[in-house]
């Protein structure tokens, strides 16, 4: 079948054996994205995608698509910021020695090409994610995915509409295919597709690095001014933002329960409270299962010593009598008791 074959190819080109494999994979995946865009217009292939949305292969496909999106948007935004600086300095280059001027022009040309490529790739993967969040919203709210997807979307909103967005202002953005409103619209489509799932709302509200009520209302204002969101979508987005604000307030209350929790309760990579601690048998390190599982989807090695590691090699990391969840329950009970005592 075509859909699972394309998904498998998307995963397999992660390693091509070429010395240029890191960049080669993006070229192959762009072709795959183009094929998906066309076949997903047909009900038969949309159903085939749903039928193949279970199992390790699909999870790896989705994980690598998210990896690509994060890399490409970061690269494109960094390129735009560099172009902003170079364009502002360009008039002064005429006074430089010829060799230095040529070096600057070559650097400008490389940055422009990189920027065009990164924006095109970002647009492709966001379009794919828009389709998948509509077809299969539930796959984005698993323990492995919800926090990561929310962080990615929230971070992209911050880059495109946040307080530092002026750094992305360049002369002739059309030259690079940079249409920030179009990218924001794609993001809002993904948010709305997932807004009916409480786990996703909670994950967005929990992402305190990027999420803010003001920022998301700014996005709505930007799209409204550009006539890129209809009244029904706007109302749904407002409701979604309010639900995220409520989730953020609840998260802040939960975080207070862990203010003086032992360091061992926090994942050493994400620095978040572990919900299912597991032991990495290759290094003796304890991590949260969801965090190490995400890593293993892309790289089956122990992140602390690079030894081969698979999920079936993980072991329970803490006794049932000493773990973060037990700690949280005890704190909640004490909090409830204190409310009764002070009433």
């Amino acid at each position: 079948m075509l859909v699972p074959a394309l998904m498998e190819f998307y995963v397999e080109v992660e390693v091509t054996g070429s010395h240029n494999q890191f960049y080669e994979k993006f070229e192959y995946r762009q072709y795959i994205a183009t094929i998906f865009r066309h076949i997903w217009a047909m009900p038969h292939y949309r159903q085939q995608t749903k039928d193949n949305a279970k199992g390790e292969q699909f999870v790896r496909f989705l994980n690598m698509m998210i990896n690509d999106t994060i890399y490409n948007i970061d690269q494109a935004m960094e390129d735009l910021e560099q172009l902003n600086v170079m364009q502002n300095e360009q008039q002064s280059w005429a006074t430089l020695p010829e060799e230095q001027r040529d070096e600057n022009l070559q650097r400008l040309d490389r940055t422009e090409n990189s920027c065009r490529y990164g924006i095109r790739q970002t647009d492709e993967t966001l379009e794919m994610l828009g389709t998948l969040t509509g077809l299969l919203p539930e796959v984005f709210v698993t323990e492995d995915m919800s926090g990561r997807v929310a962080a990615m979307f929230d971070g992209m909103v911050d880059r495109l509409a946040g307080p530092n967005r002026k750094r992305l202002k360049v002369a002739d953005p059309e030259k690079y295919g940079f249409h920030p409103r179009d990218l924001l619209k794609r993001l809002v489509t993904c948010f709305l597709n997932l807004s009916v799932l409480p786990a996703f709302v909670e994950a967005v509200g929990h992402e305190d690095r990027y999420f803010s009520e003001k920022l998301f209302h700014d996005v709505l204002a930007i799209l409204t001014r550009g006539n890129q969101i209809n009244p029904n979508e706007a109302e749904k987005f407002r409701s979604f933002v309010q639900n995220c604000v409520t989730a953020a307030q609840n998260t802040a209350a939960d975080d207070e329960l862990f203010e003086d929790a032992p360091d061992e309760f926090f994942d050493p990579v994400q620095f978040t409270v572990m919900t299912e601690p597991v032991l990495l048998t290759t290094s003796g390190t304890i991590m949260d299962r969801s965090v190490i599982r995400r890593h293993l989807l892309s790289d089956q090695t122990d992140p602390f010593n690079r030894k081969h590691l698979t999920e079936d090699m993980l072991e329970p990391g803490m006794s049932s009598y000493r773990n973060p969840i037990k700690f949280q329950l005890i704190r909640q009970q004490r909090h409830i008791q204190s409310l009764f005592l002070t009433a």
Side-chain angles (χ1 to χ4, degrees), residues 190-204:
C190 293
F191 280 126
L192 292 179
N193 287 341
L194 300 174
S195 64
V196 296
L197 301 170
F200 181 71
V201 172
E202 182 179 341
V204 172

Side-chain angles (χ1 to χ4, degrees), residues 27-259:
E27 184 176 353
Y28 291 132
R29 286 171 177 170
Q30 185 179 355
Y31 297 139
I32 296 170
T34 300
I35 296 171
F36 269 127
R37 185 173 66 249
H38 288 288
I39 67 174
W40 276 339
M42 306 176 213
H44 170 71
Y45 289 111
R46 292 168 75 91
Q47 185 58 49
Q48 197 176 106
T49 302
K50 290 183 177 181
D51 294 341
N52 286 274
K54 297 177 182 178
E56 191 74 11
Q57 186 72 7
F58 181 80
V59 175
R60 292 188 70 198
F61 163 70
L62 188 59
N63 182 68
M64 290 182 180
M65 192 190 309
I66 291 170
N67 287 347
D68 290 353
T69 306
I70 292 170
Y71 173 80
N72 285 315
I73 189 68
D74 284 349
Q75 186 64 54
M77 297 302 102
E78 288 173 13
D79 287 339
L80 284 167
E81 290 180 2
Q82 287 185 40
L83 287 173
N84 175 289
V85 173
M86 284 190 281
Q87 288 176 354
N88 288 330
E89 295 175 345
Q90 197 168 4
Q91 285 187 342
S92 66
W93 292 356
T95 62
L96 296 174
E98 183 178 358
E99 184 177 353
Q100 188 175 350
R101 186 170 64 249
D102 289 345
E103 287 179 1
N104 286 348
L105 289 172
Q106 289 172 12
R107 182 164 58 92
L108 175 63
D109 185 60
R110 287 195 302 270
T111 305
E112 287 183 331
N113 289 333
S114 174
C115 183
R116 274 191 290 268
Y117 186 77
I119 290 172
R120 185 171 66 247
Q121 292 287 87
T122 298
D123 195 56
E124 291 274 8
T125 51
L126 272 182
E127 185 175 1
M128 290 175 70
L129 287 168
T131 300
L132 286 174
T133 54
L135 276 178
L136 300 159
E138 65 280 357
V139 304
F140 291 87
V141 293
T142 63
E143 187 178 6
D144 299 328
M145 287 292 172
S146 59
R148 187 158 184 245
V149 172
M152 175 182 70
F153 288 157
D154 286 5
M156 292 177 74
V157 168
D158 182 69
R159 296 292 289 269
L160 292 166
N164 295 321
R165 66 179 182 270
K166 290 183 179 179
R167 296 179 184 175
L168 307 178
K169 189 175 181 179
V170 293
D172 192 13
E174 184 68 35
K175 180 179 180 180
Y176 313 108
F178 180 49
H179 306 114
R181 284 179 179 169
D182 291 346
L183 293 174
L184 285 172
K185 177 60 170 128
R186 291 199 188 284
L187 286 167
V188 167
T189 296
C190 293
F191 280 126
L192 292 179
N193 287 341
L194 300 174
S195 64
V196 296
L197 301 170
F200 181 71
V201 172
E202 182 179 341
V204 172
H206 183 70
E207 185 46 60
D208 55 4
R209 291 173 298 175
Y210 305 117
F211 174 74
S212 77
E213 184 176 9
K214 180 185 181 304
L215 173 62
F216 275 57
H217 281 304
D218 286 347
V219 169
L220 184 56
I222 290 168
L223 294 180
T224 301
R225 286 196 301 271
N227 295 316
Q228 289 181 280
I229 189 167
N230 64 48
N232 184 48
E233 290 173 327
E235 185 54 39
K236 286 182 178 179
F237 191 67
R238 286 191 196 94
S239 177
F240 166 68
V241 173
Q242 185 53 54
N243 291 337
C244 291
V245 170
T246 301
Q249 292 168 346
N250 293 337
T251 296
D254 288 342
D255 288 346
E256 290 180 5
L257 299 173
F258 287 95
E259 279 186 351

Side-chain angles (χ1 to χ4, degrees), residues 307-322:
K307 290 184 179 179
H308 178 69
L309 179 67
T310 56
E311 189 173 1
D312 59 2
M313 296 166 65
L314 304 176
E315 295 180 357
M318 292 182 182
S319 71
S320 59
Y321 295 100
R322 183 165 179 76

Side-chain angles (χ1 to χ4, degrees), residues 268 278-287 302 304-305 307 309 317:
V278 292
L279 176 70
L280 280 56
T281 54
T282 41
S283 66
T285 306
I286 291 177
M287 291 183 66
D302 186 318
F304 295 93
N305 60 16
K307 290 184 179 179
L309 179 67

